[in-house]
Amino acid sequence: MPAHQGRQGQPRRSRQRPRRRRGRRLWLLLGAAALVWLTRGLWLPPVPPPQMILVLGGDVERERVAADLARRDGLPVLVSGGSNPEYAHWLFGRQGLDSRRVQLDYRATDTLSNFTSLVDELKRAQVRHVLLVTSSDHMDRALLVGRVVAGSRGISLTPVPVPCGSRCVPEGRSKVWGDGARAALWVLTGRDLRGWAAARFGPWLEELQPR
């Protein structure tokens, strides 16, 4: 009987060993990635001054703030998913901005696509530093997603939060980190795996919610 149990137990041990090896390899890979990230300042070229203003649509006040910044600093503006073209051109024109300095882009449908629809074009244009304009209650999520997606293309973001006062709607950690996970998966796969991420990380993120 003990011999029989030993023969049955052997496959279990052999199955556990590859799992442990995979776990160790995963931790080594994560450790190496963390080391590369923490030492990036040693091998990446220094970040230049801001080269443009990126506005995330959703509130026209963001566009007003961006127009003031552009007039003050002389930077071009890119609005992702903002107000309709007629109003946007009127708003920026009223601040004295030539239409050639303002690019309106309507491909984005959410915060992740605000970045994924643009980062490769920005990289080709050799943009490496962007002022990110969005509402203060949206900034944490936008900055996390942007630093993952834009950071994967060597683009740095400096936040310019727009006060929203009584209109602010604080975003929960599950929403912030859920979009962060989607951004990481997009960098790894080139696709938005939103459904997969929700199934995979949803229960874990749910546990982080305050009780």
Side-chain angles (χ1 to χ4, degrees), residues 140-191:
D140 285 348
R141 182 160 58 99
L143 201 54
L144 175 60
V145 171
R147 283 179 170 164
V148 172
V149 175
S152 73
R153 303 303 193 261
I155 301 169
S156 296
L157 303 175
T158 295
V160 182
V162 177
C164 49
S166 60
R167 295 177 292 110
C168 281
V169 181
E171 297 184 332
R173 284 182 293 179
S174 62
K175 190 170 187 177
V176 173
W177 289 102
D179 269 15
R182 286 174 62 203
L185 289 168
W186 182 88
V187 171
L188 292 172
T189 68
R191 295 163 53 194

Side-chain angles (χ1 to χ4, degrees), residues 1-209:
M1 189 66 176
H4 178 65
Q5 288 177 341
R7 285 192 298 272
Q8 285 186 336
Q10 184 62 33
R12 291 180 185 174
R13 287 195 295 272
S14 64
R15 283 196 297 268
Q16 289 173 351
R17 287 193 192 103
R19 289 176 185 168
R20 291 195 189 103
R21 290 193 200 102
R22 286 195 295 269
R24 284 195 293 268
R25 284 197 292 266
L26 177 60
W27 281 111
L28 285 172
L29 181 62
L30 290 173
L35 182 62
V36 169
W37 176 256
L38 291 172
T39 60
R40 64 194 185 280
L42 301 176
W43 48 270
L44 284 176
V47 177
Q51 296 162 279
M52 68 175 303
I53 300 166
L54 173 60
V55 190
L56 306 189
D59 188 335
V60 294
E61 186 61 26
R62 303 174 189 177
E63 296 175 38
R64 294 193 187 99
V65 169
D68 289 340
L69 279 174
R71 183 181 60 179
R72 185 193 73 188
D73 298 339
L75 295 174
V77 179
L78 172 55
V79 185
S80 176
S83 58
N84 65 73
E86 293 78 11
Y87 179 82
H89 284 305
W90 173 82
L91 175 64
F92 287 104
R94 193 177 67 165
Q95 296 292 341
L97 271 67
D98 188 290
S99 60
R100 289 172 295 184
R101 285 178 56 194
V102 180
Q103 180 182 347
L104 306 178
D105 190 290
Y106 296 98
R107 289 174 290 177
T109 57
D110 59 9
T111 301
L112 178 61
S113 55
N114 279 137
F115 295 98
T116 59
S117 62
L118 299 170
V119 287
D120 289 327
E121 295 171 8
L122 296 180
K123 183 179 180 180
R124 285 193 292 271
Q126 300 183 338
V127 173
R128 295 191 48 242
H129 188 186
V130 170
L131 295 180
L132 177 64
V133 178
T134 191
S135 300
S136 57
D137 58 350
H138 180 231
M139 184 57 81
D140 285 348
R141 182 160 58 99
L143 201 54
L144 175 60
V145 171
R147 283 179 170 164
V148 172
V149 175
S152 73
R153 303 303 193 261
I155 301 169
S156 296
L157 303 175
T158 295
V160 182
V162 177
C164 49
S166 60
R167 295 177 292 110
C168 281
V169 181
E171 297 184 332
R173 284 182 293 179
S174 62
K175 190 170 187 177
V176 173
W177 289 102
D179 269 15
R182 286 174 62 203
L185 289 168
W186 182 88
V187 171
L188 292 172
T189 68
R191 295 163 53 194
D192 178 11
L193 303 178
R194 183 173 190 169
W196 183 89
R200 180 75 174 178
F201 299 108
W204 175 71
L205 292 170
E206 203 51 46
E207 293 177 1
L208 297 179
Q209 289 293 333

